[in-house]
Amino acid sequence: MAAPMWWLPPLLRCRPRFPATRGPGHGQARRISTEVVVQGQSQAAGGEEADSEVSARIKTFTEVQAEGLEQAQKTVLISYPTGISKKSILQYLSHHGRINSYFFYKGHGHHAMVEFSEKESVGSLQDVAQIAGSSVPGIPFKSRLFTLTPRQSLGQALDETSIPDYQHPTIPMEDLVQKLCCADSISNQLYSLLNEHQLTEENMKLRFLACSLIQDLARAYFPECVVKPFGSSVSTFGKLGCDLDMFLDFDEIGKSPTPKKTGPFHVEYQIKRMPSERAATQKILSVIGECIANFSPGCTHIQKILDARCPLMRFFHQPTGFHCDLTANNRIALRSSELLYIYGNFDSRVRALVFGIRCWARTHGITSSTSGPWITNFSLTMMVLFFLQKRKPPILPTLAELKNLADAEDKHVIGGHDCTFVSNLNKINQTENTETLDVLLNEFFEYFGNFDFGSKSINVREGKEHSKPEPSPLYIQNPFEQTLNISANVNQNQLDRFVALARECAWILQQVNQDHGQGGKQPWGLAAILVPPVIGSKKKMAKSMLTSARLKALLDSLRADIANKKGERAFSSWSLK
Ligand code: GTP
Ligand code: MG
């Protein structure tokens, strides 16, 4: 039973950022055309090689990163006043070089994201751009953010209907629930939800661009550094609106070139010594943070959170609308994202289930955007992956199995931690498990509604429970730093809420499954667990639990909104010491 094609957004269908995953029980990656179609433009991507090879295999995480960052470097972000014809903007920009792709959007003002075919075109535009005159006090800085203002009135734009603004699709919860009610199976409900919430190709391009703009700035200090996205932006589990986790990578600088003969002397760079690696990371982030705060246009609400276990710089990138967390010396987190990417692409059921569970958890206040003792999305995702490893036959391989398939180039040891696993998805055998998502969603709630959290820990590396090494209510072993618990922040109360809701939802899913098709008006399946059942509930407790959890979720998200407005987003457990 393959996933329906429509769960991929149109642009992904043509040339997926995250190439289409494999369907349950299928031995082949789905073949996808690599034609690029971006807002009215259409062209072949990479010719025959791309068609025959790229579409036949799923790209590695490293390839996706490299491609995204390379495209971002050829991209500019244009801000322009109302009333200018979009076509005239494109016409003007095309004098600087061939345009590969573009889209227009409204965020803080009108914007056009334009990707040139060649990097030189960006330079050509920069050559004619001027630093705003003395009437606007400011610090001169040449970036890839430009403002286009017409020298004289260009008259009314005539052709706007042909180039619509791109809008990140958002669907209110009530509409989503209604939509889900129309699906004919829980499986299709989950794919439908995934389709509504997953990152679009445009959103991904903006994420890579934001990283690339910060990289420009960081390169003023460290010319060879790279700023890479990690976390849910690239792990395949990102939901529209999720934060943008950035990683300042110095690996290229540190990499020693192939040893050259240097004669009788050993030659090395003089560097400033630091008391510890942590101190060096804090210093670097502090300096880059100052730089972002002072010189980077559009970066606001800057917070230095340098005392956290994972020091970071937090800021809002206004032109793209992303809340960003910039970290350095964080290669293990990048590997975690790659591991999730492997799992997310392995079987089409994985992302659909993770998105469904994440959405359910957010709706009921199990997860939150504020810091606190709740389960994080990262931990919740690990729980879903673990559950899928435990199915019979397993849907997902264990990390240990992925390690056994690794090549020499997959070997990674970071800070003494073994982070080795296979990067080529095609080397992993398909699962023989053909369970439907209808079954899996219900079984997830059954499984964790009855899990022995009191004495067992969750271990994705081995794909089995272990005895808890310490008494944290929820113990999910960090897959790489194996002595750490990624959910150490979760308190007993939050875990109890999760368990109680899981049990109730398992019960509700069984009930609504029986009711489904009788009238079709009541929320059923996934829809029923995203809202409290209005009529027809035979179990009042389920209703009141869902209602109170929902109220709590509403309060949480109100608090989060206020915090967001103040630029005071939550620190995850991980970012707190
Ligand atoms: P959302 O932002 O909630 O969509 O999910 P996310 O996966 O991006 O989580 P978050 O932004 O909190 O963290 C970004 C990445 O940092 C995660 O994907 C992990 O790779 C890593 N990370 C987050 N929390 C932990 C933790 O507790 N331990 C470790 N080792 N890594 C973590
Ligand atoms: Mg994130």
Side-chain angles (χ1 to χ4, degrees):
M1 192 206 64
M5 194 56 182
W6 48 262
W7 69 269
L8 283 170
L11 293 171
L12 258 71
R13 245 178 265 159
C14 299
R15 189 172 184 236
R17 164 79 45 207
F18 300 131
T21 46
R22 303 186 281 196
H26 283 237
Q28 295 282 316
R30 232 182 303 132
R31 288 187 59 87
I32 313 137
S33 147
T34 53
E35 193 191 23
V36 175
V37 181
V38 178
Q39 297 286 12
Q41 290 214 327
S42 174
Q43 66 199 67
E48 275 172 27
E49 188 276 331
D51 266 349
S52 59
E53 281 187 23
V54 181
S55 65
R57 68 175 176 82
I58 296 170
K59 285 179 193 159
T60 65
F61 183 78
T62 311
E63 285 170 339
V64 173
Q65 286 268 349
E67 187 189 80
L69 290 171
E70 204 211 316
Q71 286 174 347
Q73 289 208 315
K74 298 180 203 157
T75 303
V76 294
L77 202 51
I78 310 283
S79 150
Y80 62 96
T82 320
I84 303 192
S85 144
K86 291 169 183 163
K87 280 194 174 163
S88 70
I89 292 175
L90 292 175
Q91 216 161 34
Y92 173 70
L93 291 175
S94 63
H95 293 313
H96 293 278
R98 194 162 151 256
I99 293 172
N100 203 31
S101 72
Y102 64 84
F103 59 88
F104 291 82
Y105 66 96
K106 278 189 209 135
H108 285 262
H110 295 274
H111 285 98
M113 202 215 77
V114 179
E115 180 200 332
F116 289 106
S117 298
E118 308 295 335
K119 209 173 159 195
E120 290 66 40
S121 310
V122 175
S124 162
L125 187 61
Q126 280 173 326
D127 282 347
V128 300
Q130 304 200 338
I131 301 285
S134 56
S135 60
V136 187
I139 297 164
F141 176 68
K142 292 185 174 180
S143 73
R144 281 181 286 140
L145 292 170
F146 302 92
T147 305
L148 283 195
T149 326
R151 288 190 192 279
Q152 60 205 35
S153 169
L154 293 176
Q156 199 54 41
L158 299 173
D159 48 20
E160 295 314 278
T161 46
S162 57
I163 310 179
D165 277 332
Y166 163 76
Q167 281 185 319
H168 298 318
T170 47
I171 181 164
M173 187 51 109
E174 295 85 68
D175 296 355
L176 177 65
V177 166
Q178 270 193 3
K179 193 168 179 176
L180 298 182
C181 288
C182 299
D184 59 2
S185 64
I186 291 182
S187 192
N188 280 339
Q189 288 184 325
L190 283 162
Y191 284 121
S192 181
L193 178 116
L194 172 63
N195 199 37
E196 293 294 339
H197 284 176
Q198 69 184 343
L199 301 181
T200 60
E201 183 155 340
E202 289 87 348
N203 193 285
M204 285 300 300
K205 278 179 183 278
L206 278 178
R207 283 171 191 267
F208 276 102
L209 177 61
C211 288
S212 173
L213 294 173
I214 297 302
Q215 176 179 287
D216 284 354
L217 208 80
R219 282 191 173 181
Y221 283 92
F222 307 105
E224 285 162 73
C225 73
V226 182
V227 175
K228 297 175 177 170
F230 73 102
S232 57
S233 298
V234 285
S235 68
T236 73
F237 296 116
K239 175 178 178 287
L240 285 166
C242 70
D243 69 353
L244 172 53
D245 303 291
M246 299 175 170
F247 165 57
L248 186 56
D249 192 354
F250 292 102
D251 215 37
E252 292 306 315
I253 306 177
K255 260 186 202 155
S256 25
T258 29
K260 290 199 181 86
K261 286 192 181 139
T262 55
F265 294 102
H266 175 66
V267 188
E268 66 177 25
Y269 289 104
Q270 291 189 4
I271 56 167
K272 190 102 186 165
R273 303 275 166 201
M274 289 280 160
S276 65
E277 209 167 322
R278 178 177 167 81
T281 303
Q282 287 169 323
K283 191 59 88 195
I284 289 164
L285 283 176
S286 177
V287 168
I288 303 287
E290 282 302 312
C291 205
I292 291 173
N294 290 314
F295 308 126
S296 184
C299 290
T300 64
H301 300 96
I302 288 127
Q303 287 174 277
K304 288 184 183 179
I305 307 170
L306 301 178
D307 280 340
R309 187 169 95 70
C310 176
L312 64 107
M313 284 293 313
R314 178 162 285 171
F315 58 94
F316 180 60
H317 192 254
Q318 215 170 52
T320 54
F322 296 127
H323 291 282
C324 305
D325 280 350
L326 176 67
T327 56
N329 191 15
N330 197 11
R331 296 201 68 77
I332 291 191
L334 196 69
R335 285 300 278 170
S336 305
S337 306
E338 179 163 0
L339 179 65
L340 296 191
Y341 175 88
I342 297 278
Y343 282 133
N345 272 312
F346 182 68
D347 183 290
S348 62
R349 291 168 292 182
V350 180
R351 292 178 67 220
L353 189 62
V354 169
F355 269 73
I357 303 284
R358 278 192 179 202
C359 183
W360 163 81
R362 190 77 177 86
T363 308
H364 297 297
I366 300 284
T367 53
S368 167
S369 63
T370 55
S371 63
W374 4 92
I375 300 172
T376 62
N377 271 334
F378 183 56
S379 295
L380 192 63
T381 306
M382 286 294 173
M383 290 169 85
V384 180
L385 301 180
F386 179 74
F387 160 75
L388 294 173
Q389 289 175 334
K390 295 284 293 181
R391 302 307 297 161
K392 286 191 177 59
I395 292 180
L396 287 179
T398 65
L399 177 52
E401 286 163 344
L402 295 181
K403 184 184 162 185
N404 288 341
L405 295 170
D407 280 340
E409 73 260 24
D410 295 327
K411 192 168 160 58
H412 282 77
V413 178
I414 304 170
H417 302 289
D418 186 358
C419 303
T420 303
F421 56 86
V422 65
S423 57
N424 181 351
L425 269 145
N426 292 354
K427 289 195 185 158
I428 313 169
N429 280 341
Q430 285 289 309
T431 172
E432 281 164 15
N433 182 307
T434 54
E435 285 173 300
T436 65
L437 280 166
D438 299 47
V439 172
L440 292 172
L441 185 67
N442 193 0
E443 289 288 316
F444 173 85
F445 291 126
E446 283 280 349
Y447 183 76
F448 282 114
N450 296 295
F451 189 83
D452 181 8
F453 287 108
S455 65
K456 299 288 182 216
S457 69
I458 289 169
N459 183 323
V460 175
R461 179 168 280 271
E462 303 295 336
K464 56 179 180 229
E465 310 85 334
H466 285 245
S467 295
K468 276 206 291 196
E470 46 100 344
S472 296
L474 176 60
Y475 198 105
I476 304 175
Q477 192 192 64
N478 185 317
F480 302 119
E481 294 165 281
Q482 293 179 47
T483 55
L484 299 180
N485 171 13
I486 64 166
S487 50
N489 62 309
V490 178
N491 68 15
Q492 192 62 50
N493 186 28
Q494 288 304 316
L495 181 64
D496 290 347
R497 287 191 57 241
F498 169 80
V499 171
L501 274 162
R503 285 181 188 170
E504 293 306 330
C505 285
W507 185 86
I508 289 169
L509 279 178
Q510 282 151 22
Q511 300 310 303
V512 292
N513 280 350
Q514 288 164 16
D515 295 348
H516 172 221
Q518 296 169 11
K521 288 271 188 304
Q522 290 304 314
W524 69 278
L526 179 62
I529 61 167
L530 292 182
V531 288
V534 188
I535 324 164
S537 165
K538 293 164 199 143
K539 208 174 182 184
K540 283 195 179 143
M541 196 174 83
K543 183 174 168 181
S544 73
M545 284 197 68
L546 287 169
T547 311
S548 63
R550 221 176 116 91
L551 274 176
K552 165 132 200 357
L554 269 173
L555 280 173
D556 278 349
S557 64
L558 274 176
R559 273 192 220 114
D561 280 352
I562 294 166
N564 273 343
K565 279 184 192 126
K566 289 186 190 159
E568 294 166 353
R569 279 181 335 113
F571 312 153
S572 77
S573 60
W574 184 51
S575 51
L576 289 172
K577 242 205 253 185

